[in-house]
Amino acid sequence: MTIARLLLICVAIVNAYELGTPFQMDQFGGSSENQPHATGTPNGFAVTWEGVTFYALDGTERKSWNFGGDGDISLSSTDKYTVAVRNWQNNAINCAFYDINGMPYGDTFMVSSVSTSSPSVAATPTTTLVAWTTTGTTNGTIVANLKFYTTANGNPIGSQQVVFPFPNIYSRKVVKVSGSPKAFMVSSLSSASISAQMVSPAGQLLGGQFPVNDGADADSFEVATGPKASLVVWPVTAGPLTNQIWGQFIDLNGARIGSNFRVAFDAFQPSVTATATGFQVVWVGSGGWAFSQSFGASGGAIGTEFMASHYSMNYLTGNIPLVASSNGSLLFVTSKFNGAQTTVYGRIATGLPS
């Protein structure tokens, strides 16, 4: 028995959870340029890579839709529906809705004919928000374009824009949305600083923009919103906190809860999902293995971090771990590129706060 396997068993005993047998989810030639996403659905999980695939709670594949070609796909789910948005063909953004069985309902429609970033989507039982960026009308700004739709039928409700400062016009443009029935949070990264703006489901700006991280130290970020708060996590790749992951809780009104806190040492490429009782964060850690940690609904780690992958992901190739929550189960998604092809694995966890 290897030392890594022994450690995994010991940590599992301490945390009283069970990690299922890894199973292959996908395999394709080369290293995908697409940004993967995962979400919990009403009765399982949905994962994107080159398309959208729906899985049952035990990891059994239920339905798969291959979009073909490159293009980042963002996902969000409610108690009845899953929404996918994708940029492709000259950076146009398309949106598709799926029912509880992973079947499309309504026609795929175009949200925007142009964008300068990957799209982001956040769905609540009543309202779906799609966001993307364009260059500001004046130098030094970035525009987050927002469009609102009714989740039940995809009918347009309205639009809004949030203008964030963007002093480095050559930096990567990032905007992400998350939300609750009370309000959506629109977040942007500019010169290693994360800023956010609360927006009502009707598109009204609520209050002003506020900083998420205290220092200009973020290389990227991920965000998830739960019943009580949002959790933003980001990797630090420069300065005294290099190779650490930090986080910040924000309540549903847009007020920070406590201060920035350290999620993990020797860690890269985090992902986060909201659970029924809090949040689950996963990242690439020492040796390229995926590790994970549970957090409460508005702060505080639960248990200890544990190893979520059954192999080293070799993070230098850009492989990103994912986590999604559904009905008391968690799905961890990891990938590995061996120089010729990428293999994607899934692993179901039970017994964790979910």
Side-chain angles (χ1 to χ4, degrees):
M1 179 180 294
T2 65
I3 294 177
R5 177 61 178 164
L6 181 59
L7 288 173
L8 180 61
I9 292 174
C10 292
V11 174
I13 293 173
V14 171
N15 282 299
Y17 69 86
E18 181 179 348
L19 274 172
T21 302
F23 58 94
Q24 184 173 310
M25 304 177 76
D26 199 357
Q27 190 174 70
F28 44 86
S31 179
S32 175
E33 296 180 357
N34 298 347
Q35 172 71 45
H37 290 271
T39 185
T41 69
N43 55 2
F45 307 95
V47 179
T48 73
W49 219 287
E50 310 251 298
V52 178
T53 303
F54 292 85
Y55 297 87
L57 286 170
D58 63 358
T60 303
E61 183 176 322
R62 302 176 61 197
K63 203 72 180 176
S64 184
W65 305 95
N66 193 332
F67 296 158
D70 290 329
D72 290 342
I73 309 164
S74 180
L75 284 178
S76 184
S77 287
T78 71
D79 57 340
K80 294 182 179 179
Y81 306 107
T82 298
V83 187
V85 294
R86 178 196 187 204
N87 63 334
W88 70 311
Q89 291 185 353
N90 300 319
N91 288 322
I93 298 175
N94 287 349
C95 183
F97 286 76
Y98 300 87
D99 65 17
I100 193 172
N101 297 311
M103 296 296 294
Y105 75 95
D107 296 327
T108 298
F109 59 91
M110 181 179 291
V111 176
S112 174
S113 61
V114 63
S115 67
T116 56
S117 73
S118 298
S120 181
V121 61
T124 71
T126 57
T127 309
T128 293
L129 170 60
V130 180
W132 69 100
T133 68
T134 52
T135 303
T137 55
T138 60
N139 190 20
T141 63
I142 183 173
V143 177
N145 299 278
L146 313 177
K147 280 194 177 180
F148 300 82
Y149 301 88
T150 54
T151 301
N153 52 30
N155 288 339
I157 298 175
S159 60
Q160 179 61 274
Q161 289 185 332
V162 180
V163 180
F164 290 101
F166 197 74
N168 186 351
I169 62 174
Y170 300 104
S171 296
R172 183 164 49 99
K173 300 173 177 64
V174 179
V175 61
K176 295 182 180 180
V177 292
S178 62
S180 69
K182 183 176 184 178
F184 292 98
M185 186 169 76
V186 183
S187 307
S188 179
L189 177 67
S190 175
S191 295
S193 295
I194 307 169
S195 301
Q197 168 74 57
M198 304 304 292
V199 183
S200 75
Q204 179 183 2
L205 301 184
L206 304 174
Q209 296 178 21
F210 56 92
V212 174
N213 60 329
D214 294 328
D217 58 4
D219 177 68
S220 61
F221 71 96
E222 297 293 334
V223 57
T225 298
K228 296 182 179 181
S230 296
L231 174 57
V232 184
V233 295
W234 62 92
V236 180
T237 58
L241 304 180
T242 297
N243 299 341
Q244 297 180 23
I245 292 173
W246 283 68
Q248 176 65 53
F249 285 94
I250 299 169
D251 71 21
L252 299 183
N253 294 313
R256 298 197 338 177
I257 303 173
S259 304
N260 292 179
F261 65 95
R262 184 185 292 106
V263 175
F265 289 98
D266 192 15
F268 316 83
Q269 297 171 326
S271 296
V272 59
T273 190
T275 68
T277 56
F279 297 90
Q280 195 74 31
V281 182
V282 64
W283 64 88
V284 180
S286 179
W289 297 78
F291 292 84
S292 188
Q293 172 72 59
S294 303
F295 289 89
S298 54
I302 300 174
T304 57
E305 67 180 57
F306 60 92
M307 191 180 295
S309 64
H310 66 291
Y311 60 94
S312 173
M313 294 176 60
N314 186 9
Y315 67 89
L316 294 177
T317 62
N319 296 311
I320 298 172
L322 306 173
V323 60
S325 172
S326 176
N327 292 286
S329 297
L330 291 166
L331 171 65
F332 292 101
V333 182
T334 56
S335 64
K336 188 171 185 178
F337 177 58
N338 65 4
Q341 63 184 10
T342 297
T343 303
V344 184
Y345 294 96
R347 202 171 196 183
I348 303 294
T350 56
L352 285 159
S354 58

